[in-house]
Amino acid sequence: MHWILSAVVGAALTGTALSQTSPPFPTTCAGVAAAKYPYTVDSAWQITKIASGLRQPRSILFDPLGNMLVLQASSGVSVHTFGADGCINSTKTIIQNSGLNHGLGLTPDGKTLYVSSVTQVWSWAYDAAARTATGQKTVITGMSQGGHSTRTIAVSPKNPNIILVSTGSNSNWDYASGSPATGRACVKAFDVSKAPASGYTYNTQGTMLAYGVRNEVALAFDPNGHAWGAENSGDDFRRTVNGQATDIHIDNPAEELNYFGDPESPRTPNWYGYPTCFTVWEPSLFKDTTALKTGSQFVVSPNATFNDASCTGVSNPPRLSFPAHTAPIGSVFDKSATNLYITFHGSWDRQPAAGYFVAEVPFTKTADGLYDPVSPADSKTGYKTILSATTPGSCNSPSLTQSTCWRLAGVSWDNAGERLFVSSDNQADGEIFVLKKK
């Protein structure tokens, strides 16, 4: 996502001194409240809470000097510096705007900051040394309201004039979004250097990188500058065959890891299935067929005109799948792209609940120079949980930012690629944690 810039985009900085030295890993930070909710961390990692009392910290990234920028939803953007002990030693609000809710991006030279609301994307001139954002400009307007409200921003490390902006569907079943002209359930690319004075109009301008992606919140670039997205799929699914409906929703459809490729050369086709073709997580819940497996695409009501097999060759299937309703929100590659890290916000539409964890997805570089997950597309074990709510099955989340557990959201590596920062945007306490491998 936008917060991948500290690791992937930051490595491509030119003409700017990039801080590559991490402060010591703190074991505790004075004045920071204890973790609000219990958690479990993998034995190979250590973790410390470094910030509390933030307002729904949704996104994180690092500027060239190693300062941490945080988008606090319905509040603004803050910048945080670190002391010699590895703890935060100063905080400054650089943008105040109650309409901001998710998107945050920074160009590789650290000089242009992008932020989004539900309907617009703006840019500011950013000064890392002074920790200021000035000269607000409108970059994109006219994004649809209603339904999924987050607008992810990701800046290309290959061509920093290119930014990606995602929009979700306007409902669980947004049938109109099957047409790319609606400008919903899609990811578009925009060349900021060619933006009109009043900004692009989202629905009618820009390049369609991918459509048919229900809510692609977690965007990340690999070292080749190719885009990946983790998708929040649908809710309350029933499979209807010959008039007989079967509830499959507890473990279907799967959340998805999608490969979008080079934003300057979109894939063909660039449709990823929604609102027609979805992905199987648990095939045993499909009582009418044994042909499906994890990672297969299916339709909810197969018929003589369009059935599961009809998706093949028409819709791009995911490269990897995750359990239903876990809600991927943020993603970031490590410096060598040997792993992709994804935060899962957690479910509301499943009992017992699921999600509330950080996944480590192993990647490899193929013979043709592309990056690809190690596991096959039909795997249920293509990731490892490195951090989780202690008892995720008992979490109760009545709204987007209310829960009896943390709601993991932002994720970013520091410039040195040594410390992984993760936020929880639960409104009871906006928290940031730092992790490091032992």
Side-chain angles (χ1 to χ4, degrees), residues 116-192:
S116 72
S117 69
V118 174
T119 59
Q120 293 181 286
V121 174
W122 299 281
S123 70
W124 282 262
Y126 178 69
D127 185 325
R131 301 192 297 282
T132 57
T134 58
Q136 179 180 348
K137 295 180 180 180
T138 299
V139 178
I140 299 169
T141 63
M143 291 184 283
S144 299
Q145 300 188 57
H148 297 104
S149 61
T150 53
R151 308 290 181 248
T152 301
I153 302 169
V155 183
S156 169
K158 181 180 174 182
N159 181 352
N161 288 325
I162 302 296
I163 65 170
L164 306 184
V165 180
S166 69
T167 61
S169 62
N170 70 357
S171 64
N172 192 31
W173 295 96
D174 185 357
Y175 294 107
S177 70
S179 167
T182 63
R184 298 193 300 269
C186 65
V187 180
K188 301 187 84 171
F190 296 87
D191 186 339
V192 179

Side-chain angles (χ1 to χ4, degrees), residues 25-26 29 32-36 39 47-62 68-72 78-80 82 86-88 91 104 387 406-412 419-426 429-435:
F25 186 85
C29 289
V32 177
K36 182 75 173 178
Y39 60 81
I47 182 172
T48 299
K49 182 177 173 180
I50 62 163
S52 59
L54 301 177
R55 186 179 178 88
Q56 298 172 34
R58 188 76 177 181
S59 306
I60 306 171
L61 59 79
F62 283 80
M68 180 175 67
L69 289 91
V70 180
L71 185 138
Q72 300 185 51
S78 55
V79 59
H80 309 260
F82 294 87
C87 295
I88 293 171
T91 295
L104 183 67
L387 180 65
W406 59 12
R407 305 304 301 272
L408 299 176
V411 59
S412 180
R419 299 184 301 165
L420 183 66
F421 291 75
V422 176
S423 73
S424 165
D425 69 346
N426 190 318
D429 186 13
E431 305 173 285
I432 296 179
F433 298 82
V434 58
L435 295 92

Side-chain angles (χ1 to χ4, degrees), residues 394-409:
S394 64
C395 296
N396 179 26
S397 299
S399 73
L400 183 65
T401 58
Q402 289 181 311
S403 181
T404 57
C405 296
W406 59 12
R407 305 304 301 272
L408 299 176

Side-chain angles (χ1 to χ4, degrees), residues 93-399:
T93 298
I94 59 171
I95 298 172
Q96 288 185 319
N97 185 331
S98 61
L100 305 184
N101 69 351
H102 185 80
L104 183 67
L106 187 67
T107 52
D109 62 6
K111 294 181 179 179
T112 304
L113 183 67
Y114 297 100
V115 180
S116 72
S117 69
V118 174
T119 59
Q120 293 181 286
V121 174
W122 299 281
S123 70
W124 282 262
Y126 178 69
D127 185 325
R131 301 192 297 282
T132 57
T134 58
Q136 179 180 348
K137 295 180 180 180
T138 299
V139 178
I140 299 169
T141 63
M143 291 184 283
S144 299
Q145 300 188 57
H148 297 104
S149 61
T150 53
R151 308 290 181 248
T152 301
I153 302 169
V155 183
S156 169
K158 181 180 174 182
N159 181 352
N161 288 325
I162 302 296
I163 65 170
L164 306 184
V165 180
S166 69
T167 61
S169 62
N170 70 357
S171 64
N172 192 31
W173 295 96
D174 185 357
Y175 294 107
S177 70
S179 167
T182 63
R184 298 193 300 269
C186 65
V187 180
K188 301 187 84 171
F190 296 87
D191 186 339
V192 179
S193 69
K194 299 177 181 178
S198 58
Y200 285 108
T201 299
Y202 188 88
N203 287 4
T204 59
Q205 296 177 293
T207 298
M208 183 63 75
L209 179 61
Y211 72 104
V213 286
R214 181 178 174 273
N215 192 24
E216 206 83 6
V217 185
L219 298 179
F221 280 105
D222 66 29
N224 288 337
H226 288 196
W228 294 79
E231 180 175 344
N232 292 247
S233 195
D235 302 309
D236 295 322
F237 272 38
R238 285 163 177 78
R239 169 85 159 185
T240 301
V241 179
N242 297 324
Q244 182 66 41
T246 302
D247 188 343
I248 61 170
H249 92 277
I250 192 167
D251 284 321
N252 293 288
E255 314 288 47
E256 302 180 2
L257 178 62
N258 292 311
Y259 171 65
F260 299 138
D262 186 346
E264 296 181 76
S265 182
R267 299 178 67 187
T268 302
N270 61 348
W271 182 55
Y272 288 77
Y274 180 83
T276 304
C277 299
F278 298 88
T279 300
V280 174
W281 177 253
E282 180 46 64
S284 67
L285 295 179
F286 292 78
K287 305 305 181 183
D288 62 287
T289 179
T290 58
L292 297 174
K293 59 184 179 179
T294 298
S296 298
Q297 290 197 305
F298 72 94
V299 298
V300 293
S301 300
N303 55 57
T305 302
F306 203 99
N307 55 37
D308 302 333
S310 304
C311 296
T312 303
V314 178
S315 165
N316 287 316
R319 179 55 191 82
L320 208 61
S321 305
F322 305 105
H325 314 302
T326 49
I329 296 296
S331 60
V332 58
F333 282 96
D334 57 21
K335 226 170 187 181
S336 61
T338 53
N339 293 288
L340 176 69
Y341 294 85
I342 304 175
T343 54
F344 288 81
H345 209 224
S347 66
W348 68 270
D349 189 37
R350 189 184 193 279
Q351 292 298 329
Y356 309 93
F357 66 93
V358 177
E360 179 183 75
V361 182
F363 265 65
T364 187
K365 192 171 185 179
T366 63
D368 56 2
L370 298 177
Y371 291 86
D372 195 49
V374 171
S375 295
D378 62 355
S379 175
K380 280 190 171 183
T381 58
Y383 66 94
K384 177 182 180 180
T385 298
I386 65 165
L387 180 65
S388 175
T390 301
T391 55
S394 64
C395 296
N396 179 26
S397 299
S399 73

